[in-house]
Amino acid sequence: LTKYEYKPGKHSYVKYWWSYKDRSPEKFLIVFFEVRYKYVYVAKEEWTKKYGDYKGHGKTDLDAIRGKPGKYTIRIVSYGDHDYVYAESKPFWVKEKDYDY
């Protein structure tokens, strides 16, 4: 995870960027990690090398955590093991109003 942006408000989303190496796994999961209770919510599956040039990017909405405001991080985790964390963002707050569409 090289960068992330949380855009709250109407049509809230998280954009994220990553880099990889030749030996990186084929795919990974983007998850929301709820900091207080340590719950993991799967947001999206990503193919590591879909963009080439050893970099990638993506975007996800808040559907995975709809109705669950709180303090979250975005994690890049192993496709087969949600506890195996490749990278994690700094925490950010999701508020109830951020779910309005």
Side-chain angles (χ1 to χ4, degrees):
L1 190 65
T2 56
K3 181 180 169 184
Y4 79 99
E5 292 177 1
Y6 174 55
K7 297 290 186 178
K10 193 167 186 173
H11 306 294
S12 300
Y13 62 87
V14 177
K15 287 175 88 172
Y16 46 89
W17 292 261
W18 69 88
S19 61
Y20 62 87
K21 299 176 182 174
D22 289 331
R23 295 178 24 190
S24 295
E26 278 188 38
K27 57 186 173 177
F28 59 86
L29 296 175
I30 294 292
V31 301
F32 287 100
F33 178 73
E34 199 281 326
V35 175
R36 183 175 181 194
Y37 297 110
K38 300 182 178 11
Y39 290 137
V40 173
Y41 301 95
V42 176
K44 195 171 186 182
E45 174 184 313
E46 287 283 5
W47 290 93
T48 306
K49 302 173 184 178
K50 71 180 176 182
Y51 295 105
D53 200 29
Y54 298 94
K55 299 177 197 164
H57 57 89
K59 179 177 168 181
T60 186
D61 56 27
L62 303 182
D63 284 351
I65 55 172
R66 181 165 297 286
K68 299 175 180 89
K71 189 176 186 180
Y72 289 90
T73 62
I74 286 289
R75 287 181 169 182
I76 294 178
V77 301
S78 168
Y79 186 78
D81 181 359
H82 299 171
D83 292 328
Y84 192 87
V85 179
Y86 298 123
E88 184 172 25
S89 72
K90 292 183 179 179
F92 56 91
W93 285 94
V94 176
K95 299 176 179 151
E96 189 66 44
K97 67 180 180 175
D98 296 341
Y99 299 110
D100 295 338
Y101 284 94

